[in-house]
Amino acid sequence: MSQQSHNLWLDAWYGKRRWTFVLLPLMWLFRLIASARRFYLRRFAQHILSVPVIVVGNISVGGTGKTPLLIALVKHLQHQGFNPGVISRGYGGHADHYPLVVTSATDVKESGDEPLSIFQQTGCAVCVDADRVRGARELERLGCNILLSDDGLQHYRLGRALEIIVVDGQRGLGNGFCLPVGPLREPMSRLQSADFVVVNSAQQPLSLPVTQTYAMRIVPHAWHSLIDGQAHPVDYFSRGNKKSVNAVAGIGNPRRFYQTLAELGLQPVEHDFPDHHAYQQGDFSFAESLPVVMTAKDAVKCRDFAQPDWFYLAVGAELPDCFWHDFDVKIAGLKP
């Protein structure tokens, strides 16, 4: 799907356009098939592992901020004395063999952007495999005593002890309909069966069919040079006359990144790319000669041809104390 076509669908799902409603019969067929598939997999084909599995996912198409939350969860579990491992589909990557355990020598073309970024930011074991059950068993073999699945909420073959669903606080659940009429992979009622519903960067209260949600903020930490990794404070570009930048975003919701840049006092010249885009040097032939800024997820694919004035923004997920308290209570109740 081209970026233009992708944006056309997003405008309909998250905007005020209504042309997708002619697809209502397809939506009901989609829901019927998805419901039957979920019942069959959970009842007859689900694999329960010997270690707890936490799924961090969403019910909507597009980025919701799952990866910063997953990284925060990994670091929290490491601090608590666990040896966590991360299972990932590895979108955009193509390896010669699976399961693929990510190392410092792994090429992003093999692993995909998110698994490599998670490994670099946490140092935990990360396994890439479209068969998440097989990937999880590999992490078990490596000695991980708790697993986190990056996405995979609808991968019901993999049993799970906890489910955390992330909702984009800026776009919400769009028009509230399932694919292809709306952006939902499962109906809104699916939120009620999750252990935690986390709302990322909400600008106003969302109407969701759950009694408890947890607010999350994505907080900028520092700028890092793609060339040598040198860190700079978040106001590095907003000082003096450096405010204009070429902003590159190949993520699910580029608007969130651009908004963060504006909040930091920058004037971004926006350059959208498809999610998980495989960057090439020619993608950066911009009309204006300005510093280039991007996300950490984009940066792992650009280091081989990066220039001295290219930087990525390191961010972190901030959640309220009540979330961590409730999360620790849940974890304590899981079987070893």
Side-chain angles (χ1 to χ4, degrees):
M1 182 185 296
S2 69
Q3 185 66 22
Q4 183 178 5
S5 176
H6 179 70
N7 290 338
L8 182 67
W9 285 96
L10 291 181
D11 288 343
W13 292 338
Y14 292 104
K16 296 183 178 180
R17 300 180 185 274
R18 295 290 180 262
W19 62 266
T20 58
F21 281 78
V22 302
L23 302 173
L24 274 170
L26 288 178
M27 184 199 78
W28 291 114
L29 178 61
F30 170 82
R31 286 191 58 171
L32 177 63
I33 294 173
S35 178
R37 173 183 173 275
R38 178 187 178 192
F39 173 81
Y40 171 78
L41 291 176
R42 293 184 68 182
R43 185 72 178 270
F44 301 109
Q46 193 168 77
H47 296 259
I48 305 299
L49 277 68
S50 62
V51 299
V53 175
I54 302 171
V55 173
V56 182
N58 60 18
I59 62 170
S60 58
V61 173
T64 58
K66 298 184 304 296
T67 302
L69 172 59
L70 183 137
I71 289 172
L73 291 169
V74 168
K75 291 180 177 179
H76 179 80
L77 289 168
Q78 289 172 328
H79 183 71
Q80 299 289 91
F82 288 91
N83 180 26
V86 173
I87 316 155
S88 177
R89 168 65 179 82
Y91 290 104
H94 301 281
D96 294 333
H97 68 278
Y98 293 100
L100 173 69
V101 177
V102 178
T103 70
S104 57
T106 300
D107 192 319
V108 69
K109 294 177 182 177
E110 296 179 312
S111 65
D113 46 29
E114 287 175 349
L116 185 57
S117 181
I118 292 167
F119 173 77
Q120 290 177 346
Q121 294 183 62
T122 65
C124 79
V126 178
C127 186
V128 177
D129 200 328
D131 184 340
R132 292 178 189 268
V133 174
R134 184 172 61 184
R137 295 200 187 283
E138 178 67 12
L139 290 171
E140 272 188 307
R141 189 186 68 79
L142 293 174
C144 297
N145 54 17
I146 192 165
L147 306 182
L148 297 97
S149 179
D150 181 20
D151 209 352
L153 186 67
Q154 290 78 34
H155 195 97
Y156 288 111
R157 284 185 61 244
L158 179 63
R160 64 283 310 264
L162 288 180
E163 290 183 334
I164 302 176
I165 296 180
V166 186
V167 176
D168 185 340
Q170 298 178 4
R171 299 191 299 188
L173 299 178
N175 60 19
F177 286 83
C178 287
L179 293 166
V181 176
L184 303 186
R185 297 185 177 101
E186 299 183 88
M188 285 192 290
S189 58
R190 177 68 172 85
L191 297 177
Q192 297 170 1
S193 61
D195 297 277
F196 297 92
V197 176
V198 174
V199 179
N200 178 23
S201 305
Q203 296 176 327
Q204 57 188 6
L206 297 181
S207 178
L208 299 174
V210 289
T211 56
Q212 168 117 46
T213 62
Y214 299 85
M216 179 175 79
R217 293 194 312 131
I218 302 298
V219 181
H221 287 168
W223 290 104
H224 290 266
S225 167
L226 266 70
I227 292 288
D228 57 15
Q230 182 177 355
H232 303 274
V234 292
D235 64 349
Y236 178 70
F237 290 103
S238 57
R239 299 172 182 172
N241 298 317
K242 297 181 179 179
K243 294 184 178 181
S244 295
V245 294
N246 280 313
V248 171
I251 57 178
N253 184 7
R255 302 305 317 167
R256 186 185 297 116
F257 179 57
Y258 301 145
Q259 181 177 330
T260 298
L261 298 180
E263 291 170 354
L264 291 176
L266 278 67
Q267 298 168 358
V269 179
E270 301 171 3
H271 303 280
D272 290 3
F273 290 89
D275 196 11
H276 305 289
H277 179 65
Y279 291 101
Q280 300 179 9
Q281 192 162 4
D283 293 328
F284 295 85
S285 299
F286 301 136
E288 299 183 69
S289 181
L290 300 169
V292 173
V293 300
M294 62 188 70
T295 68
K297 172 180 164 179
D298 293 312
V300 296
K301 295 175 287 189
C302 301
R303 286 196 171 93
D304 289 345
F305 49 85
Q307 302 300 310
D309 60 348
W310 292 15
F311 300 84
Y312 72 88
L313 183 62
V315 301
E318 279 193 1
L319 294 111
D321 291 341
C322 63
F323 170 83
W324 294 115
H325 172 270
D326 294 348
F327 178 76
D328 286 340
V329 169
K330 288 275 191 181
I331 291 298
L334 298 180
K335 294 181 180 179

